[in-house]
Amino acid sequence: MSIQKFNNAAGELERIVLNGPKGASAEIYTFGATVTSWKSMGKERLFVSKQAKLDGTKAIRGGIPLVFPQFGPGALPQHGFARTRTWTLAEAEVHGEGVYARLELSDNDETRASEWPYKFSIQYTVDLTATKLSTIMKYENVDDQPFEFTSLMHTYFRVPAIADTVVAGPKGVVYADKVKGTDGVEEERVDVTVDANEDRVYKDVPGIVSVGYGNERVLVRRFNFKDIVLWNPWAEKAAEMSDFGNAEYNEMICVEVGTVSSKVSLCPGQVISCGQLLTVEPNSDSNKL
């Protein structure tokens, strides 16, 4: 197991590569603290568009972009500023079962001059083992006044074919459909499939969600995040994005953990940790959620 750091060179952004047990690995760009690769059991588990900008001109299209302090459109640019700020690598070490890196982000003159002017500190820990990837954000209010925010881990999962991909876990959960403009709808399906542009916010999801394809699935466990966002742009929306291939919607699905249907509130000095644990396992009837 090892840790590699690649510095800026020839216009490329700084990145860290974690090499874990049994061939597992993860790649993290300090720009946005975006995890752009997670390999486990011999396969790439994350999707990054071939047309993604990796030069710092815009957020990276794929991997696990970090949304903070605003989900979606609003007073700040889309999805806030965390995914387009350069984070600082604070620590990276090998541990008993794997390897981890911790990155940090705090307020600066630009954020304090924005529509969200508060003083904050975030520690982001990415922990890799043979079959698991943990991504945890520790948010701290270092201001002298309370603040509120929304946040999300915008995980793009790579799948062999969207038509053969099943998301299990949200049955019975109420969701907002941002494509249809509806809210308060209860999910009736045990296995959720996608065959059109989907943009749903499942609210207060009670348990584990999984992304299944072929004979494998990835379990998505949340920590202190309430919601799950399900997104696929499909053909029409894909064609509208300059950093996304026209047919790449066939290769991905976003299952995103976060708290976005309500806000997280922190008083001065208060801390909260939120995140996800992703686990690769065999996909069989005996493993039903």
Side-chain angles (χ1 to χ4, degrees):
M1 295 186 287
S2 65
I3 300 154
Q4 296 171 286
K5 183 178 179 181
F6 298 88
N7 294 318
N8 294 16
E12 295 182 354
L13 297 172
E14 183 180 72
R15 57 194 172 92
I16 302 106
V17 175
L18 307 179
N19 297 300
K22 299 182 179 179
S25 65
E27 178 183 75
I28 314 158
Y29 277 77
T30 55
F31 178 74
T34 307
V35 178
T36 52
S37 174
W38 169 38
K39 293 177 181 176
S40 176
M41 308 298 288
K43 295 181 182 178
E44 177 59 66
R45 304 295 171 173
L46 298 180
F47 166 86
V48 175
S49 172
K50 294 181 178 65
Q51 298 178 202
K53 302 296 184 184
L54 300 175
D55 57 3
T57 58
K58 66 184 303 183
I60 296 171
R61 176 69 69 184
I64 311 179
L66 301 178
V67 173
F68 173 88
Q70 171 191 288
F71 172 70
L76 297 173
Q78 175 86 355
H79 289 331
F81 48 69
R83 65 185 187 146
T84 54
R85 286 273 310 278
T86 297
W87 294 54
T88 300
L89 176 63
E91 186 178 23
E93 291 186 6
V94 174
H95 60 78
E97 296 183 356
V99 58
Y100 76 92
R102 180 167 55 83
L103 297 94
E104 297 179 339
L105 183 72
S106 59
D107 57 279
N108 63 8
D109 290 344
E110 183 178 355
T111 65
R112 290 191 297 271
S114 75
E115 294 297 317
W116 198 85
Y118 307 102
K119 298 177 182 178
F120 69 91
S121 174
I122 301 176
Q123 295 184 5
Y124 180 47
T125 302
V126 178
D127 197 328
L128 173 77
T129 64
T131 59
K132 298 179 181 181
L133 183 72
S134 168
T135 60
I136 306 291
M137 289 214 284
K138 179 181 177 182
Y139 311 84
E140 182 177 3
N141 182 347
V142 296
D143 211 321
D144 57 5
Q145 57 185 316
F147 60 61
E148 296 180 326
F149 63 90
T150 50
S151 187
L152 173 138
M153 295 177 175
H154 199 307
T155 307
Y156 289 72
F157 288 99
R158 175 171 292 281
V159 299
I162 189 62
D164 301 323
T165 301
V166 171
V167 178
K171 185 180 186 297
V173 177
V174 171
Y175 66 88
D177 192 320
K178 297 168 70 176
V179 175
K180 297 179 180 178
T182 58
D183 201 350
V185 181
E186 184 176 316
E187 179 59 73
E188 298 178 348
R189 295 171 292 177
V190 173
D191 294 332
V192 177
T193 56
V194 173
D195 60 5
N197 177 22
E198 291 283 10
D199 193 354
R200 296 183 173 191
V201 179
Y202 289 95
K203 304 177 183 181
D204 296 312
V205 181
I208 300 169
V209 171
S210 71
V211 181
Y213 42 84
N215 61 357
E216 294 180 307
R217 66 178 184 173
V218 180
L219 299 183
V220 182
R221 293 180 171 89
R222 289 161 297 117
F223 303 101
N224 285 333
F225 277 139
K226 296 180 178 181
D227 307 320
I228 292 282
V229 175
L230 177 68
W231 181 74
N232 183 293
W234 216 248
E236 183 177 351
K237 291 293 183 181
E240 296 175 1
M241 294 186 285
S242 63
D243 58 348
F244 194 96
N246 289 354
E248 287 185 322
Y249 69 90
N250 284 300
E251 306 168 27
M252 53 74 63
I253 190 167
C254 284
V255 178
E256 313 160 23
V257 303
T259 296
V260 297
S261 63
S262 59
K263 293 184 178 180
V264 179
S265 299
L266 290 182
C267 294
Q270 192 172 5
V271 175
I272 186 171
S273 293
C274 305
Q276 65 181 354
L277 175 64
L278 308 178
T279 305
V280 179
E281 70 169 31
N283 190 13
S284 66
D285 291 338
S286 62
N287 287 331
K288 289 293 185 182
L289 297 177

